Amino acid sequence: EPEVTQTPSHQVTQMGQEVILRCVPISNHLYFYWYRQILGQKVEFLVSFYNNEISEKSEIFDDQFSVERPDGSNFTLKIRSTKLEDSAMYFCASREGQYTDTQYFGPGTRLTVL
Amino acid sequence: GEDVEQSLFLSVREGDSSVINCTYTDSSSTYLYWYKQEPGAGLQLLTYIFSNMDMKQDQRLTVLLNKKDKHLSLRIADTQTGDSAIYFCAVSRPGNTPLVFGKGTRLSVIA
């Protein structure tokens, strides 16, 4: 069964460093999302992406964050200058299309900022 | 904005039924989901229901929706130790809208 994949599974970085989290959505899906989950807290929406542009973003998704679909398969989340509070599990999700609203999630990348 | 609430903990004995409850505030929420998260793992879609349905059954899982009260529940029949996990309720409006999650209910199954 097709699934969303994410790499790396765990990333450790120093505060102020840039990180890029990678996702490969399900191949025929058109809508892509990033969510994050700080340890013990709710899963929070960051950004949605469709047709090579951001559809919607939350207050969390400030200028330090960016997303890109550099080729036909990858979907990336970049954090330009990481802060301690960026430590969280980051989930990528994808959705097939206009008439299918179910979002399928990847296994997540655990980001630890030291 | 939308708010989704769940009780944080539920403990049941193996073989009993578990009922996990969820309430939401936005009456235009059309799609309602249950996700399961095992320790250290991602979010596994368990089941979902559309707002024009009252009930959906899928093997051991039964989802009940009371749209008037904006109340969603997930019943797991014959709960097994492998069902121990955090269960998230999530809702969304039609179209390309983000999911809004509850805080999750940690289900502990006692053998």
Side-chain angles (χ1 to χ4, degrees), chain B residues 95-108:
Chain B
N96 185 22
T97 59
L99 293 174
V100 179
F101 284 82
K103 285 187 176 178
T105 299
R106 183 179 295 276
L107 174 65
S108 299

Side-chain angles (χ1 to χ4, degrees), chain B:
Chain B
E2 171 77 272
D3 192 23
V4 178
E5 295 290 337
Q6 299 176 241
S7 53
L8 294 182
F9 300 99
L10 177 65
S11 183
V12 299
R13 293 200 176 276
E14 192 174 18
D16 288 352
S17 292
S18 308
V19 179
I20 302 171
N21 294 300
C22 169
T23 57
Y24 59 97
T25 55
D26 187 350
S27 56
S28 63
S29 293
T30 308
Y31 303 95
L32 304 107
Y33 304 87
W34 286 102
Y35 286 86
K36 176 183 181 183
Q37 185 182 38
E38 297 186 50
L43 297 166
Q44 175 196 353
L45 177 64
L46 275 182
T47 187
Y48 59 92
I49 192 169
F50 299 129
S51 60
N52 60 354
M53 300 165 66
D54 297 325
M55 185 183 88
K56 181 179 179 182
Q57 186 152 5
D58 183 2
Q59 299 182 338
R60 292 192 296 123
L61 305 178
T62 303
V63 179
L64 293 177
L65 174 61
N66 181 328
K67 197 175 172 187
K68 174 175 165 290
D69 294 339
K70 302 191 202 65
H71 181 268
L72 182 73
S73 68
L74 173 70
R75 179 177 180 269
I76 306 172
D78 186 25
T79 313
Q80 302 298 307
T81 54
D83 295 323
S84 294
I86 300 175
Y87 291 80
F88 289 93
C89 171
V91 304
S92 71
R93 288 175 282 112
N96 185 22
T97 59
L99 293 174
V100 179
F101 284 82
K103 285 187 176 178
T105 299
R106 183 179 295 276
L107 174 65
S108 299
V109 182
I110 305 162

Side-chain angles (χ1 to χ4, degrees), chain A residues 5-8 11 13 17-25 32-37 44-49 54 56-58 60-70 73-82 86-93 108-111:
Chain A
T5 59
Q6 291 185 242
T7 53
Q11 171 105 38
T13 189
Q17 295 296 304
E18 174 184 286
V19 295
I20 297 176
L21 310 183
R22 291 185 166 79
C23 168
V24 178
F32 314 113
Y33 308 83
W34 283 102
Y35 292 80
R36 80 171 184 192
Q37 184 186 29
E44 303 171 288
F45 167 73
L46 292 178
V47 66
S48 58
F49 192 86
I54 290 174
E56 186 174 348
K57 57 185 181 179
S58 71
I60 304 167
F61 194 88
D62 62 21
D63 292 344
Q64 293 299 311
F65 291 87
S66 62
V67 288
E68 196 178 30
R69 189 155 162 81
S73 59
N74 288 284
F75 178 51
T76 62
L77 174 70
K78 183 193 290 187
I79 309 175
R80 192 170 301 119
S81 177
T82 49
D86 293 327
S87 295
M89 182 77 99
Y90 287 81
F91 293 107
C92 173
T109 293
R110 180 168 297 284
L111 176 66

